[in-house]
Structure formats: structure tokens, C-alpha cells
Amino acid sequence: MIVTLTVNPSLDRTVELPGTLVRGAVQRAAAISEDPGGKGVNVCRALSASGVRAVAVLPGRDDDPVMAGLRTAGVSYANLPIAATLRSNITLTEPDGTTTKINLPGPPLDAGEQEGLITLLVTTCAAGEDGSPASWLVLAGSLPPGASPDLYALVAHAVRQRFGDRAPRIAIDSSGPPLLGALLHNATPDLLKPNAEELAEVTGIGTEDELEADSGLAVSAARTLIARGVGAVLATLGPKGALLVTADGAWHATRPPVEARSTVGAGDSSLAGFLLADVAGAPPRDCLRQAVAHGAAAASLPGTTVPTLAQTDPGAVTVTEIAGTVAVPHTSSTRAASTKEED
């Protein structure tokens, strides 16, 4: 079982335009869709669509539209009721794949609600197959107003304290203060999934454009995170593919361009593809291959639609090993995310 935490979920409304977006003009929509969203929710949706048992943990009332969307999609979830209605995000997509996204801040969470969400998460992680804890815990997305910037680190520490050596491996996909707070407060994720902008942000190496243009520089940046205790770095580089860097090696994956309809959630699907391959026992390079295949499939679908495993084409992905490794100290808090652990 894989558990995801989405502290700032949303109802994602996607409007497909028949032509180029024109500021200040009245335009008619070609299509509109609504899906439960937020990065962790999207990862959970993609995992569930491919038959992997996954549970989304999130705040929100039972009658909130986001919960209704999860029920309609057949996605398992555990929710902490709060008074406010969850936010709605708006995405505008153009025929050439250009995507404009407007994200609202979301309702605030007070200290008691944050503690309740952590308790719910720990309980959910304990409900794995045969009484074993979840195999992976995904901490993903932004934080709402009022949330502590080190919330992901608090979650990681609580889960590892509860389960010890049997704790789920932890993946983090976030940016800004939540990402920096997690790393500065020793969350030591087993898998970190930044894009090029986020990789530059947390390492101070290069810019988004420079890392996308120079895979060697991106690998060097990722290796600084490995040296700091991160188990593995899965870095998406936009049209330049993706990298996987661990203490044992580094790989770069590319594939021919797809006709993009919406890039919203493509990174979330990439993370889901990696986890799908990992829980199936695939080696690191094939986990990366499936990550790129999943991201490309998501970009080719409308709105925030997530692909199934059958809709992906890993055979179209080329994976190249990059020479060189980085030595890291072996501590109790550093566990490789490149191989499947037994429960």
C-alpha cells in the first residue's frame, strides 16, 4: 500500500480553449472538466488507476466536492473534517499545450488540525497489507495558510518514530518553504522529486534553464542532495526528460516529444510511474523509464486526467547511465529508495 498526504487539496477545474488565450477578451470554452486535485491526490489517482492500492490522506468534510470527486473516481481516502470548504483551482489550456494555472491559497489549518492530520496519517500508514505498514508515504504539494513550514519534517519524524525500521519510505514533492523546511529540519526523504527550478532552489546550483540544458550540471546538483542524506533524486527536466540520481549511480531518460494537451499533473504522474515500477520490483533505470513514460502520457491527456499503466509507452523511453557515484555516510536515517524493501 502507498499512502499520500495532500495538506492543501483542491477541486481542479480545467477549461479547454479552442484557440489562443486573449487577455481582456470574451472566449468560449471548447470543454470543461473537474477533478479532485492537489499533488498527493493526483499521485494517488494515478496509482489507483493502475491497480495499486493507494490511500489519499487530506483535510476536508465528507460532503466537500473534493471528497465527492474521489468517491466518483473510486479512489480510497481518509479525511480530517474541517469547517471550511476546500479551494478550487482554475486551469486554462490552449490547443498547443500552453497551460495557464490559477491556484487559490486554500483554507487555513490551525495547530490542532495539523496535529489531527498527522495522527490520521500515522493511523492510515499502519493499515497496510497483512498488518504491515505502507511501503511508501508521499508528501506532496503546497501548504495552506497557517501550516508550519516544517510540517513535512514533523510528519516524517512522527512516522519514523511510530514504525522504526518498518517505516514507509518517504517521497517528497514540493517547492518553496515546505520543501526547504523539510530539508532543513532533517526529513531526509528516501526520494525527492524536484523539477529543474526546485532543484536549483534547494541546491543553489544553476538556474532552471541551465539545469534543463545541461544534464551533467543537474546531476552534480542532485549529488549534493545525496551527500546530505537524501536517498534518491528524481528530477524532471521538462522537454529534456528526467534524471534519477542515487548513491549508486545516475541515469538520464528521454523520449520523443508527445502532442501535449495539458501539462497539469504530469509531474505527479511521473512520480506515480516511478512508484508503480518500484513496488513491482523494477531496477532504478526502469523505475526512471516508467516515470518518464507516465509523465508523457499525462501530458497527452486533457485537463488533469491521469494515465493508466496501459496508456503509457515505456518502450519509447531511452535511458542512459551517467558515470560517477557519490559516497554518502550510512546512517539509520538514510535508506536507498532505488530498491524495493521487504515489509
Side-chain angles (χ1 to χ4, degrees):
M1 179 181 71
I2 295 174
V3 175
T4 71
L5 174 64
T6 308
V7 188
N8 202 18
S10 61
L11 183 67
D12 286 348
R13 291 187 169 96
T14 302
V15 178
E16 291 189 58
L17 298 176
T20 302
L21 173 66
V22 180
R23 292 184 62 193
V26 175
Q27 294 175 262
R28 297 186 182 277
I32 185 170
S33 61
E34 290 186 345
D35 296 294
K39 296 183 75 63
V41 167
N42 291 339
V43 171
C44 196
R45 288 171 54 217
L47 292 169
S48 299
S50 292
V52 170
R53 185 186 175 200
V55 181
V57 176
L58 69 166
R61 300 191 306 266
D62 291 338
D63 62 352
D64 193 279
V66 172
M67 306 308 151
L70 289 172
R71 290 192 292 270
T72 299
V75 176
S76 299
Y77 66 89
N79 62 305
L80 177 76
I82 60 174
T85 300
L86 297 173
R87 63 181 178 151
S88 294
N89 292 335
I90 300 171
T91 300
L92 303 175
T93 62
E94 302 172 42
D96 66 354
T98 300
T99 300
T100 304
K101 204 166 191 296
I102 303 171
N103 289 347
L104 300 185
L109 291 182
D110 61 30
E113 290 167 332
Q114 293 173 57
E115 186 61 37
L117 198 58
I118 293 175
T119 300
L120 176 62
L121 179 71
V122 172
T123 300
T124 304
C125 285
E129 292 86 350
D130 302 322
S132 299
S135 58
W136 278 98
L137 168 60
V138 178
L139 311 177
S142 63
L143 300 179
S148 172
D150 65 345
L151 182 60
Y152 286 152
L154 294 174
V155 169
H157 296 323
V159 168
R160 287 168 176 158
Q161 182 178 16
R162 167 63 176 82
F163 297 106
D165 291 341
R166 301 172 72 238
R169 286 173 288 169
I170 294 176
I172 295 180
D173 182 4
S174 190
S175 61
L179 176 57
L180 294 172
L183 296 178
L184 288 173
H185 291 85
N186 301 317
T188 55
D190 300 281
L191 176 66
L192 191 66
K193 200 218 76 64
N195 58 28
E197 180 182 9
E198 293 155 356
L199 184 58
E201 175 187 27
V202 296
T203 64
I205 295 175
T207 64
E208 176 182 7
D209 290 343
E210 288 170 344
L211 294 183
E212 287 190 356
D214 186 346
S215 61
L217 183 63
V219 169
S220 296
R223 282 179 172 148
T224 68
L225 296 172
I226 301 300
R228 288 160 54 185
V230 174
V233 177
L234 172 64
T236 51
L237 304 177
K240 300 297 184 179
L243 294 171
L244 176 64
V245 181
T246 73
D248 299 320
W251 300 264
H252 182 210
T254 59
R255 64 148 291 148
V258 299
E259 184 177 348
R261 294 189 62 182
S262 172
T263 58
V264 178
D268 307 330
S269 288
S270 292
L271 177 53
F274 181 96
L275 297 175
L276 281 167
D278 178 83
V279 297
R285 64 184 301 134
D286 288 337
C287 292
L288 175 61
R289 187 188 308 277
Q290 190 59 54
V292 172
H294 248 79
S300 70
L301 296 172
T304 54
T305 305
V306 295
T308 65
L309 190 60
Q311 290 174 302
T312 69
D313 184 11
V317 179
T318 300
V319 179
T320 304
E321 187 167 6
I322 300 172
T325 59
V326 59
V328 297
H330 293 283
T331 68
S332 59
S333 62
T334 303
R335 295 177 294 159
S338 59
T339 57
K340 184 174 183 292
E341 290 181 356
E342 297 296 329
D343 291 327

